[in-house]
């Protein structure tokens, strides 16, 4: 089954220096863009992360410091990456919890004002876990009858994710072939920032999900304790979380 698209969708995968969204860096990114007319475009870049790649991470994806020493930094690649994804929805495997948040951090760090306001995301892993509870390799075997060659290569994982989503649509007629519907199906919880530090409550108002104000409405906390905003802005929180918090603060000021 081919995807029914109202706009392009970019499937992408990252290989990184680690799993800390705020601190780790991209060492490889692959993007596979599918257009509504069926055209496809693919790009893969190795990236110099500007920080050492831990040996235990290299053991997973095989990318060493030497391999990326002469590659461009993400700051240098950011305009190309953003140009490719800016008009598209996003798809990936565990992308809602890891790839999109980390990509957002890298883009913001590079001075690109990235957000998801006019995009939806489809996390193929969530469809798979809701239906079958397996891994990417098992998903490709289960849905497509294929073995995943070069696992933990960004390009191989990206192409596998695309193939799996098409096969999932064939297997599950209850899944609607529409990116917004798939995005809603793959959303685990409604959050305001990628890291899940600010979520929405039953009244659709932002609340903190961590620390001493866990469960409290963000607007009320910022009003009662102005220094909390400054503390977060100056502490080691994800850039996108800080951006969302700033937007909430400005929105409150503009309604006074």
């Amino acid at each position: 089954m081919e995807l029914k698209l109202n706009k392009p969708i970019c499937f992408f995968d990252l290989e990184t220096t680690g799993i800390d969204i705020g601190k780790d860096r991209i060492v490889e990114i692959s993007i596979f863009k599918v257009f509504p007319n069926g055209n496809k475009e693919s790009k893969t870049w190795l990236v110099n992360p500007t920080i050492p790649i831990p040996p235990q991470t290299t053991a997973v994806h095989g990318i060493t410091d030497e391999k990326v020493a002469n590659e461009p930094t993400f700051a240098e690649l950011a305009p190309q990456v953003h140009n490719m994804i800016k008009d598209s929805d996003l798809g990936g495997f565990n992308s809602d919890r890891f790839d999109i948040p980390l990509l957002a951090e890298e883009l913001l760090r590079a001075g690109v004002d990235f957000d998801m306001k006019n995009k939806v995301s489809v996390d193929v892993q969530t469809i798979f876990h809701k239906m079958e509870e397996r891994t990417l390799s098992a998903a490709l075997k289960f849905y497509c009858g294929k073995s995943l060659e070069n696992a933990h290569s960004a390009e191989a994982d990206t192409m596998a994710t695309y193939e799996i989503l098409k096969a999932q649509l064939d297997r599950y007629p209850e899944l609607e072939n529409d990116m917004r519907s798939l995005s809603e199906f793959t959303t685990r919880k409604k959050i305001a920032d990628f890291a899940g530090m600010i979520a929405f409550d039953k009244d659709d108002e932002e609340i903190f999900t961590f620390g001493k104000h866990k469960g409290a409405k963000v607007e009320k906390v910022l009003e009662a304790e102005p220094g909390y905003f400054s503390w977060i802005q100056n502490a080691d929180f994800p850039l996108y979380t800080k951006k969302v918090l700033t937007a909430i603060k400005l929105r409150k000021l503009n309604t006074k």
Side-chain angles (χ1 to χ4, degrees), residues 52-242:
I53 305 171
Q56 62 270 28
T57 307
T58 294
V60 174
H61 53 51
I63 300 173
T64 62
D65 291 329
E66 293 74 21
K67 187 173 182 179
V68 295
N70 297 317
E71 299 295 337
T73 65
F74 190 84
E76 293 171 319
L77 292 172
Q80 296 178 65
V81 172
H82 185 247
N83 188 58
M84 193 167 182
I85 69 173
K86 64 183 181 182
D87 63 342
S88 305
D89 293 328
L90 298 177
F93 199 86
N94 195 33
S95 50
D96 281 356
R97 290 194 293 181
F98 181 71
D99 297 85
I100 292 176
L102 199 147
L103 178 62
E105 288 299 295
E106 287 277 41
L107 287 169
L108 290 170
R109 199 178 289 119
V112 177
D113 190 18
F114 173 81
D115 60 47
M116 292 289 291
K117 287 180 181 177
N118 298 312
K119 305 178 188 296
V120 298
S121 64
V122 178
D123 193 330
V124 174
Q125 185 193 61
T126 303
I127 296 175
F128 185 40
H129 282 184
K130 282 187 173 183
M131 299 296 189
E132 305 295 344
E133 300 292 339
R134 300 291 178 90
T135 63
L136 178 60
S137 296
L140 190 65
K141 189 72 173 179
F142 182 86
Y143 289 109
C144 306
K146 299 177 181 178
S147 296
L148 179 56
E149 304 294 337
N150 299 319
H152 297 296
S153 153
E155 185 171 7
D157 289 358
T158 296
M159 296 305 297
T161 300
Y162 169 64
E163 293 295 331
I164 290 166
L165 178 56
K166 294 198 297 177
Q168 286 173 331
L169 290 168
D170 285 328
R171 178 175 287 267
Y172 306 117
E174 65 268 34
L175 291 179
E176 187 176 349
N177 191 350
D178 171 78
M179 296 307 106
R180 186 165 296 277
S181 175
L182 290 173
S183 176
E184 291 173 358
F185 185 81
T186 60
T187 298
R188 293 178 173 87
K189 64 179 180 178
K190 193 173 182 184
I191 56 177
D193 67 328
F194 295 130
M197 292 179 170
I198 302 173
F200 291 95
D201 62 12
K202 59 182 177 61
D203 300 318
D204 211 31
E205 295 183 20
E206 295 95 343
I207 59 172
F208 286 111
T209 64
F210 69 96
K212 65 179 182 179
H213 293 303
K214 184 176 181 179
K217 294 184 186 296
V218 174
E219 284 193 358
K220 289 186 177 179
V221 171
L222 296 184
E223 186 172 4
E225 190 179 335
Y228 199 63
F229 174 83
S230 299
W231 174 72
I232 290 177
Q233 293 297 324
N234 292 314
D236 191 21
F237 285 90
L239 295 176
Y240 199 85
T241 300
K242 295 178 181 181

Side-chain angles (χ1 to χ4, degrees), residues 22-36:
K23 296 180 180 178
D24 280 304
R25 303 288 189 268
I26 295 170
V27 298
E28 185 180 29
I29 177 170
S30 185
I31 303 174
F32 181 63
K33 187 171 186 176
V34 184
F35 294 85

